[in-house]
Amino acid sequence: SAGRRSQLLKGLPATSTVEENSAAGVAVYNFNVTVSLASEGVAILPTIVNSNPLTEAFDIELKGGLEFRVITTGNPVLDYETMPKSFDLQIFVEDTTGRTDLNILTIQVTDKNEHPVFRGNMAIQTVTIHVLERRPPERIYQVDAADPENAKLKYSLLPATAPFSISESGAIFSTKEFDYEKDPHCYFLNVTVTDPDGLNSTRTVNINIININDESPYFTTKQRIYRIPEEQSPGTIVANITAKDPDDEDSPSRLFYSIQSSDRHFSINPATGVLQVTRRIDRDALPLRLHPNISLMVRVEDGPSSGRASEMEITIVIDDVNDNPPECNPSAFRKEVNENTAPGTFLVDLRNYCKDIDADPSNNQFIFTGLSGFGSNNFALESTVSGRLVMTGTIDLESPANPGVEVYTLTVRVQDIAHPNYSSKYPFYISFDNIIYIYIRIKPVNEFFPVFNNLPYVFSVSEITKVGSSIGRVHATDKDWPPNVITYSIVAGAGTRDYTNIFWISPTKGDVKILARLDYETTQKHIFTVQASDQEKSTTASVTVNVLEVNDEEPVCSPNFFSLQIPVNLAVGTNINGFRIECQDRDSDPRSFRYFINEGNENSHFAFSPSAGSNTSHLILASRFDYESGLDTNWIYSLCVHITDDNLVSARDKTTHLIKTGTVTLSIRVIPNPTTATTTTPGFTVVTRRENLYSPSAWYVPFAVTLGAVLLLGLLAHLGLLLLPCLRCTPLINAPEKKKPKKEVVVTMTKLNTVFDGEARDPVTGRMYEFNTRSGARRWKKSNEPLQPMLAMQVMSSATENSGQGVDGAEAPSKKEPSEKRKELTAATKSAAKPSAGQSETVGQAGLRLQKKKEEPEDGGLSSPA
């Protein structure tokens, strides 16, 4: 039935044997499969379903029909010595009816005499043994071999002539000391191991002799001295140093080259030994200029470090080339030469400033050639070698051949005598010549004196020409080139008694100007000396200034102020008090005066006779006074009398002719019904007024004055407080016992004339003013008024009556004093009290004012002056 176990495997169970080391596919055992008639065949082929011990060394294959066999697979190879000696294989089969069978096949492994085998490296590869030369005989390798049957093995080496041997234990020995340079470098040995039955195995051993560094390298280059020119470019090959190492025999030596000296001009290729330039080599610079030889110690080694080495000294001689052009420092020269320098004068030695730094004398020689440039015909080189420049022509700036040439630009070429070789040092050097520039500046010499042109100098100037006006010009020239700056000055004769200088000259233009008013009446001609100077040389010339007369002087009359008293009933035509005026004019004829009363002549009571044509005229009463009818009301007349100097000038010329006017002031008092015919000279009081002008530069003056006034007021107040009790007790004036008749006091004033002896211009307004050099008093100056001489000051005391009684008991003048004398004194005093009509008070001039007559009580006596 299905699933039943049946005897399907015929010949099993069974036992079989197989030799060790059998190859794959070796038949181990054959068996058959028996199936029933009902079966259609084998459903499951015989299969090894298990083994003991477990292995895959066996398999079943169909031999034919229902016949099968067990074979070796070779995996693993059966080994009697190392694997189990027996294997139980369980074989299973099943037919198509479901019957199965399972039986065991026991396979015993049988021992076989095998070849000896090598172990270790020799079992898998060819062993290479390295032996150092110079080593004494010694064991160099141990062969590891075994016999599967553990039999004793025998070792042998071939070829027998090789200097090696093998011991019974398989140790290989060298039999000599090898020399790499003489002996073969490699040996091939066949090592054979044999078992007692004669089975053997053979392996090859490769023995290499290792070369050791036992020889020093040596130089094969024999040359020791090399010559190269200077200025070789970096990389230039100087020498190829070669050496050989005996250890290398014929093979290329692996050597290392180096330079042991400290020189940095050269380097050597460490692998090839090529010696080359590494930096600039300048034969003309120190130390090569003195010692042109460079010594190098070249070293060769057969190893990069701690190898065997040899050294060799080589010398490199640096040859000089003409690689430097001559150079001049400075390359430009500037010389100054006086224009009057004589031909043949030495100027400069160019060789002192030029040099060629080439070391070899044959390369550092140079010459000077090619003198050229504007005006070079005036100069020459003594020789091409010397370089001395001399002057051969004239360089006078005033010479027509050299019209104002102040600078000569010369060029000189300096060049090498030897053939130049600059390309190594100056690859772009085009011109091999250096150019020297010489700038010769011609220094002017002051050879000529200035010369005045258009002589003589005579200028005619009106005496009224304004101060600061130009009256003419002087001009001088100088033949020197370039033209010198001429400076003009006045050196003599430009002053007067009152002024140090009345003329001024422009230092640069020569314009002559006046500094003070000219006065024909004082000086008709001025002669002074001017000088033209070019800072070194000077010339003088005389200048004449003729002063042209102009009517610029006013008539001056005496007296110019007077007080008169006349009775109201004075007869017409009477010369009033015998008064007359006398006039003078420094630039007019006495007949040129005209007299007329300009102001104050009410009802034309007064007139002058003669009215023109004389320098003397009398004051007369022209018409009677009429107070009764009321025609006249004024009892005091102030007459302003004008005196002009145009009497001789025609009416046609008066429009252009300069006319001057003098002024006289008269004060006339009309006395109604006089009771006495006695004429007394009235008393007068002098009133002086002074003005101080403030100067910004004298700020301390008002400060000091104010401070002094404050202190003075304080002192006066203190004294007043001290004297106040005394004043209350004592009467100031004793009353008179009887009344006295009224006394008339005529107050007159005296003009205190200040002499203004200096003139200056106000910097703010530009107006001229006069000043006193002692007191500092100032006044504005009229353009047509010359400085006035000092007038005598007259001070007259007040007259008293015949009784001689007064407040102070002063005696009155005698009645017998002549009336004419009293009139003249009174007229002189009054004439000085009031300025001329039309004139304003000037700066610094004493102001004068007429004081009114003051009446006093009859019993009070004569009052003191105001």
Side-chain angles (χ1 to χ4, degrees):
S1 63
R4 293 177 302 156
R5 184 173 179 181
S6 301
Q7 185 66 33
L8 298 179
L9 296 173
K10 187 178 180 179
L12 294 175
T15 300
S16 181
T17 61
V18 64
E19 284 188 347
E20 64 174 332
N21 298 324
S22 294
V26 174
V28 177
Y29 182 77
N30 295 323
F31 67 91
N32 294 321
V33 176
T34 301
V35 296
S36 64
L37 294 175
S39 176
E40 294 181 359
V42 179
I44 298 176
L45 295 176
T47 305
I48 299 173
V49 296
N50 196 8
S51 65
N52 183 28
L54 188 63
T55 183
E56 293 181 357
F58 302 99
D59 197 9
I60 298 174
E61 72 174 2
L62 179 63
K63 187 175 179 182
L66 295 176
E67 186 177 359
F68 296 93
R69 60 182 177 188
V70 177
I71 60 174
T72 59
T73 62
N75 183 25
V77 177
L78 299 173
D79 185 8
Y80 181 81
E81 289 77 20
T82 60
M83 297 177 66
K85 305 294 191 291
S86 175
F87 296 93
D88 291 331
L89 305 179
Q90 293 181 359
I91 300 175
F92 175 79
V93 69
E94 182 181 359
D95 63 6
T96 58
T97 62
R99 293 188 304 162
T100 62
D101 192 7
L102 178 66
N103 280 310
I104 296 176
L105 175 62
T106 300
I107 300 176
Q108 295 180 347
V109 180
T110 61
D111 188 20
K112 180 183 178 181
N113 187 17
E114 300 173 288
H115 289 276
V117 294
F118 289 93
R119 293 183 296 188
N121 289 334
M122 291 189 67
I124 59 176
Q125 64 183 7
T126 298
V127 175
T128 299
I129 302 172
H130 299 281
V131 178
L132 297 176
E133 68 169 329
R134 302 296 180 184
R135 295 285 293 181
E138 58 182 346
R139 184 174 70 88
I140 61 174
Y141 192 73
Q142 177 64 48
V143 178
D144 185 9
D147 184 69
E149 293 74 33
N150 294 325
K152 186 176 182 180
L153 300 177
K154 181 182 178 181
Y155 298 92
S156 62
L157 287 176
L158 289 177
T161 58
F164 300 96
S165 65
I166 190 168
S167 66
E168 292 180 358
S169 62
I172 300 176
F173 293 88
S174 62
T175 60
K176 63 173 290 188
E177 182 180 294
F178 294 96
D179 187 353
Y180 183 84
E181 287 74 30
K182 297 178 181 180
D183 296 327
H185 298 166
C186 185
Y187 293 91
F188 296 95
L189 300 179
N190 292 324
V191 179
T192 302
V193 59
T194 306
D195 65 3
D197 294 333
L199 293 178
N200 60 70
S201 296
T202 302
R203 289 288 187 268
T204 299
V205 176
N206 184 14
I207 299 177
N208 290 330
I209 306 301
I210 301 302
N211 186 18
I212 65 173
N213 190 16
D214 60 342
E215 299 287 342
S216 298
Y218 61 91
F219 289 97
T220 58
T221 301
K222 304 303 180 183
Q223 186 176 350
R224 297 292 186 268
I225 299 176
Y226 300 87
R227 303 184 73 93
I228 62 170
E230 63 171 326
E231 300 293 353
Q232 295 298 308
S233 59
T236 302
I237 296 176
V238 179
N240 190 7
I241 306 300
T242 58
K244 191 168 180 61
D245 190 346
D247 293 326
D248 297 335
E249 287 191 339
D250 296 332
S251 62
S253 299
R254 184 171 180 79
L255 301 177
F256 299 91
Y257 298 90
S258 62
I259 297 176
Q260 299 302 304
S261 57
S262 60
D263 188 83
R264 297 292 181 266
H265 293 95
F266 302 94
S267 65
I268 193 168
N269 189 308
T272 63
V274 174
L275 184 68
Q276 58 188 5
V277 177
T278 58
R279 61 187 298 181
R280 178 188 173 195
I281 304 175
D282 189 0
R283 169 71 170 80
D284 310 311
L286 293 175
L288 294 178
R289 189 175 186 88
L290 300 178
H291 304 286
N293 301 334
I294 300 176
S295 296
L296 302 177
M297 185 63 70
V298 180
R299 181 184 179 90
V300 61
E301 297 178 275
D302 55 9
S305 61
S306 68
R308 294 183 178 272
S310 296
E311 293 182 349
M312 174 182 68
E313 184 179 17
I314 64 174
T315 300
I316 302 175
V317 181
I318 309 300
D319 292 330
D320 183 46
V321 298
N322 187 18
D323 61 336
N324 290 293
E327 295 182 355
C328 299
N329 187 19
S331 60
F333 296 87
R334 289 171 172 80
K335 302 290 291 184
E336 274 195 356
V337 181
N338 290 338
E339 62 173 317
N340 56 357
T341 302
T345 302
F346 163 75
L347 299 180
V348 63
D349 190 347
L350 301 178
R351 183 164 288 275
N352 293 337
Y353 304 95
C354 301
K355 63 178 180 179
D356 191 329
I357 62 173
D358 285 315
D360 197 320
S362 63
N363 293 327
N364 60 20
Q365 301 299 315
F366 53 89
I367 58 175
F368 300 92
T369 59
L371 175 64
S372 60
F374 178 74
S376 59
N377 56 320
N378 291 324
F379 307 91
L381 293 169
E382 286 186 350
S383 67
T384 58
V385 178
S386 70
R388 288 173 56 87
L389 181 68
V390 296
M391 194 173 71
T392 59
T394 176
I395 54 174
D396 190 0
L397 292 174
E398 292 81 31
S399 173
N402 308 305
V405 178
E406 298 184 13
V407 177
Y408 291 89
T409 302
L410 308 179
T411 57
V412 176
R413 181 179 296 107
V414 54
Q415 60 188 17
D416 270 317
I417 296 178
H419 179 71
N421 183 17
Y422 304 146
S423 60
S424 60
K425 188 174 181 181
Y426 307 102
F428 302 104
Y429 203 95
I430 299 176
S431 174
F432 302 142
D433 302 333
N434 278 342
I435 303 298
I436 302 175
Y437 294 90
I438 306 172
Y439 303 96
I440 300 178
R441 181 180 177 274
I442 309 305
K443 186 177 181 181
V445 177
N446 194 354
E447 301 174 274
F448 300 96
F449 284 86
V451 176
F452 280 99
N453 302 326
N454 304 321
L455 290 174
Y457 295 116
V458 178
F459 307 130
S460 296
V461 183
S462 171
E463 65 174 328
I464 62 172
T465 302
K466 292 183 179 180
V467 174
S469 301
S470 177
I471 62 173
R473 172 180 290 185
V474 300
H475 183 259
T477 56
D478 194 331
K479 292 183 180 180
D480 285 307
W481 183 266
N484 292 321
V485 176
I486 296 179
T487 303
Y488 301 94
S489 61
I490 298 175
V491 295
T496 62
R497 178 173 59 88
D498 297 325
Y499 297 96
T500 303
N501 291 304
I502 60 174
F503 297 100
W504 175 84
I505 189 169
S506 171
T508 57
K509 298 181 179 179
D511 289 336
V512 179
K513 297 183 179 181
I514 56 174
L515 299 179
R517 288 186 54 192
L518 302 178
D519 188 5
Y520 175 84
E521 288 73 26
T522 302
T523 306
Q524 289 78 35
K525 178 182 294 187
H526 298 273
I527 300 176
F528 55 91
T529 303
V530 295
Q531 175 181 276
S533 174
D534 59 7
Q535 314 308 321
E536 293 182 12
K537 299 179 182 297
S538 60
T539 303
T540 60
S542 178
V543 177
T544 301
V545 178
N546 292 322
V547 181
L548 301 180
E549 183 181 12
V550 178
N551 184 24
D552 63 337
E553 296 286 345
E554 297 177 353
V556 178
C557 300
S558 178
N560 64 349
F561 178 83
F562 204 80
S563 295
L564 301 171
Q565 297 183 45
I566 60 173
V568 71
N569 55 359
L570 187 66
V572 175
T574 304
N575 181 195
I576 299 175
N577 290 350
F579 177 79
R580 71 171 185 173
I581 56 175
E582 185 175 350
C583 299
Q584 296 179 354
D585 192 334
R586 294 169 50 179
D587 58 6
S588 299
D589 189 273
R591 297 174 298 168
S592 64
F593 298 124
R594 290 192 307 117
Y595 306 89
F596 58 93
I597 300 173
N598 188 45
E599 295 178 3
N601 193 11
E602 295 180 8
N603 297 325
S604 301
H605 290 298
F606 307 99
F608 277 92
S609 178
S611 62
S614 175
N615 67 331
T616 302
S617 181
H618 297 80
L619 177 64
I620 63 172
L621 183 64
S623 63
R624 292 182 60 85
F625 299 105
D626 187 0
Y627 291 99
E628 289 80 4
S629 64
L631 179 63
D632 292 318
T633 60
N634 189 12
W635 295 89
I636 299 176
Y637 294 86
S638 293
L639 304 183
C640 181
V641 183
H642 282 185
I643 303 95
T644 61
D645 55 4
D646 60 345
N647 185 52
L648 301 180
V649 180
S650 63
R652 182 186 61 182
D653 295 336
K654 284 185 180 182
T655 57
T656 59
H657 190 77
L658 189 61
I659 301 173
K660 292 296 182 176
T661 302
T663 304
V664 172
T665 303
L666 300 179
S667 178
I668 302 176
R669 182 183 182 87
V670 181
I671 300 175
N673 302 318
T675 58
T676 177
T678 303
T679 303
T680 60
T681 302
F684 64 92
T685 300
V686 178
V687 179
T688 303
R689 186 171 70 92
R690 296 177 178 173
E691 290 185 4
N692 290 322
L693 293 182
Y694 169 70
S695 173
S697 62
W699 59 270
Y700 54 87
V701 174
F703 175 76
V705 171
T706 304
L707 181 61
V710 171
L711 294 177
L712 182 59
L713 288 175
L715 180 60
L716 292 176
H718 180 67
L719 292 177
L721 291 176
L722 294 177
L723 296 176
L724 185 59
C726 297
L727 293 176
R728 291 175 178 174
C729 297
T730 305
L732 294 179
I733 301 175
N734 293 326
E737 295 181 357
K738 61 177 180 177
K739 292 184 180 181
K740 296 181 173 56
K742 283 186 179 181
K743 305 295 189 299
E744 290 185 5
V745 178
V746 179
V747 181
T748 63
M749 301 179 66
T750 301
K751 180 179 179 181
L752 301 181
N753 290 302
T754 300
V755 177
F756 297 95
D757 54 354
E759 288 185 347
R761 185 178 299 276
D762 181 44
V764 178
T765 63
R767 296 177 57 187
M768 295 297 295
Y769 64 89
E770 299 171 340
F771 61 92
N772 185 283
T773 55
R774 293 186 179 182
S775 65
R778 304 178 185 180
R779 71 175 183 181
W780 295 117
K781 182 179 184 306
K782 295 190 298 182
S783 60
N784 58 353
E785 177 180 343
L787 290 178
Q788 297 293 338
M790 180 180 294
L791 298 178
M793 293 188 298
Q794 299 178 358
V795 180
M796 302 182 65
S797 57
S798 301
T800 61
E801 294 185 354
N802 296 333
S803 61
Q805 297 178 357
V807 175
D808 297 326
E811 291 185 358
S814 174
K815 292 183 180 180
K816 296 181 179 180
E817 185 176 357
S819 61
E820 287 294 325
K821 185 175 182 180
R822 288 198 305 271
K823 292 180 181 180
E824 290 177 0
L825 288 175
T826 303
T829 302
K830 293 181 179 180
S831 64
K834 186 176 181 181
S836 301
Q839 293 182 352
S840 62
E841 290 184 345
T842 58
V843 178
Q845 183 180 4
L848 302 177
R849 296 182 178 89
L850 182 64
Q851 303 295 317
K852 281 189 176 183
K853 183 174 62 177
K854 191 173 185 181
E855 294 186 358
E856 297 181 357
E858 294 181 358
D859 56 353
L862 184 65
S863 64
S864 60

